[in-house]
Amino acid sequence: MNITKTESIGRWISLLHRYGNVYMNEQLKDYNLGAGQYQFLAVLYDNEGLSQDELAHILKMDKGTAARAIAKLEKEGYVERKTFSVDKRIKKLYLTDKAHAFKSTLTSILSGWSNITTKDLSADEQAFAMKLLNKMSLNAEGYLNEMK
Amino acid sequence: MNITKTESIGRWISLLHRYGNVYMNEQLKDYNLGAGQYQFLAVLYDNEGLSQDELAHILKMDKGTAARAIAKLEKEGYVERKTFSVDKRIKKLYLTDKAHAFKSTLTSILSGWSNITTKDLSADEQAFAMKLLNKMSLNAEGYLNEMK
DNA sequence: TATTATTAGTTGCGTACACAACTAACAATA
DNA sequence: TATTGTTAGTTGTGTACGCAACTAATAATA
């Protein structure tokens, strides 16, 4: 029995993730950002005012990872953390002008990678790939959430 | 324009990779292995006698990463490195009895994750997902190789 | 209202990786 | 054959994570 067969999906996921990070690091270098930050920024573009915990939850990332990613985004001037008197634990996240100005750049970078990886897929295949990956993610989430 | 749309494939890839690692770490814990080693072992099951460089090349991993992963596999008694007099730089990799005995376990662990993530996909959908991910990986590879 | 959870965020630690600089061994060319 | 590449493997460094322990702040309950 050939073990590689069973492993192949995982292998491709791993490769796409690692190569995607290499690409993003390269593309984001000039903006003082890395592969570890852009996802948080991307979510904020569509949902300004989220807390760190909400952000981490949306991305299914550890809150420690979120804390450090956002600290970096703040340090580089992309986000601001604001505490309101309602609940002083919560730090709501807001985008700076620099971040707003950067949005179209990030969008092109992201669609650049998307175009590279799906370049020979038809529109139907792309849509189907998205559907399948979405399902697989939900299955993975569901399984690990049950574990806790 | 919604940036999340452009980013969604990458986000799912990232999630599947991270959650896959969590799963593998959990499953491999009792065998003193982690998510960083099993891929190398899996390739060796089908190709005993490869060099580190060949292994790294097959997995599209950095040779430094390969060196450390294999060092760990050796330390835990899964592989042996043998140098032959033909070319003293090359260390050919061989599986130990412990590794052979572990093969079926690793196979179940891997198919376990595969079953979890694709649990509600039909056989056709699974085959199609594999085809698409394979294509995307090749595209990613092709792009990054051109860059050098 | 005093005590006992729960929650948001921070930080230390360990692992997985890429990149780059290095060494030793081998190959190619002058 | 002396010199000048390559190549296989190692190791240092930095980043991206998850996990767990911790601190405030808030909520729930006795």
Side-chain angles (χ1 to χ4, degrees):
Chain A
M1 225 285 272
N2 192 322
I3 203 171
T4 307
K5 183 92 184 296
T6 326
E7 198 214 342
S8 48
I9 290 190
R11 194 122 109 206
W12 293 323
I13 295 284
S14 159
L15 187 147
L16 286 166
H17 184 253
R18 289 180 292 108
Y19 276 40
N21 277 355
V22 169
Y23 170 86
M24 291 305 294
N25 279 324
E26 172 64 26
Q27 297 291 317
L28 295 172
K29 200 171 50 186
D30 295 342
Y31 307 96
N32 293 315
L33 294 177
Q37 293 93 52
Y38 75 90
Q39 288 186 297
F40 296 90
L41 196 51
V43 173
L44 285 176
Y45 280 126
D46 294 332
N47 306 275
E48 213 164 339
L50 289 176
S51 70
Q52 291 190 193
D53 235 54
E54 289 169 324
L55 242 186
H57 200 254
I58 288 170
L59 290 170
K60 315 294 171 195
M61 294 257 201
D62 183 75
K63 59 184 182 161
T65 302
R68 278 181 262 250
I70 292 155
K72 170 81 173 173
L73 286 169
E74 190 181 42
K75 177 170 163 255
E76 298 298 336
Y78 292 91
V79 308
E80 282 173 18
R81 306 194 223 204
K82 290 185 191 165
T83 306
F84 296 91
S85 48
V86 195
D87 185 338
K88 283 175 202 143
R89 291 172 303 178
I90 296 173
K91 299 183 180 173
K92 294 203 172 199
L93 304 168
Y94 296 92
L95 298 165
T96 61
D97 291 346
K98 180 174 178 181
H100 286 298
F102 180 58
K103 185 178 177 182
S104 62
T105 305
L106 181 57
T107 306
S108 335
I109 292 172
L110 288 170
S111 55
W113 183 241
S114 179
N115 290 338
I116 288 161
T117 53
T118 66
K119 74 165 197 273
D120 51 0
L121 305 193
S122 68
D124 277 359
E125 285 178 320
Q126 282 186 44
F128 202 61
M130 286 181 66
K131 197 184 114 192
L132 294 175
L133 285 172
N134 187 22
K135 269 195 181 186
M136 291 172 68
S137 300
L138 291 172
N139 290 338
E141 274 176 48
Y143 176 77
L144 285 194
N145 285 156
E146 269 172 34
M147 293 300 92
K148 299 176 201 164
Chain B
M1 225 284 273
N2 192 321
I3 202 171
T4 307
K5 183 92 184 295
T6 325
E7 200 213 341
S8 47
I9 290 191
R11 196 177 288 177
W12 294 323
I13 296 285
S14 158
L15 188 147
L16 286 166
H17 184 252
R18 289 180 292 109
Y19 276 40
N21 278 355
V22 169
Y23 170 86
M24 291 305 296
N25 280 323
E26 172 64 26
Q27 297 291 317
L28 295 172
K29 200 171 49 186
D30 295 342
Y31 307 97
N32 293 316
L33 294 177
Q37 292 93 52
Y38 75 90
Q39 288 186 292
F40 296 91
L41 195 51
V43 173
L44 286 176
Y45 280 126
D46 293 332
N47 304 274
E48 212 164 341
L50 289 176
S51 71
Q52 292 191 191
D53 236 54
E54 289 169 323
L55 242 186
H57 200 254
I58 288 171
L59 291 170
K60 314 295 171 194
M61 294 255 202
D62 183 76
K63 60 184 184 162
T65 302
R68 277 180 265 248
I70 292 155
K72 169 81 172 171
L73 285 169
E74 190 181 41
K75 177 171 162 255
E76 298 299 336
Y78 292 90
V79 308
E80 281 173 17
R81 309 194 223 205
K82 290 184 189 163
T83 305
F84 296 90
S85 47
V86 195
D87 185 338
K88 282 175 203 143
R89 292 170 302 176
I90 296 174
K91 299 181 181 174
K92 294 204 173 198
L93 304 168
Y94 295 93
L95 299 166
T96 62
D97 291 346
K98 180 175 180 181
H100 285 298
F102 180 59
K103 185 178 177 181
S104 61
T105 304
L106 180 58
T107 305
S108 333
I109 291 173
L110 288 171
S111 55
W113 183 241
S114 178
N115 289 338
I116 288 162
T117 54
T118 65
K119 75 163 195 271
D120 51 359
L121 305 192
S122 68
D124 277 359
E125 285 178 320
Q126 282 186 43
F128 203 61
M130 287 181 66
K131 198 185 114 192
L132 293 176
L133 284 172
N134 186 23
K135 269 195 179 183
M136 290 171 67
S137 299
L138 291 171
N139 290 338
E141 275 176 47
Y143 177 77
L144 285 193
N145 286 156
E146 270 172 31
M147 293 298 91
K148 299 173 201 164

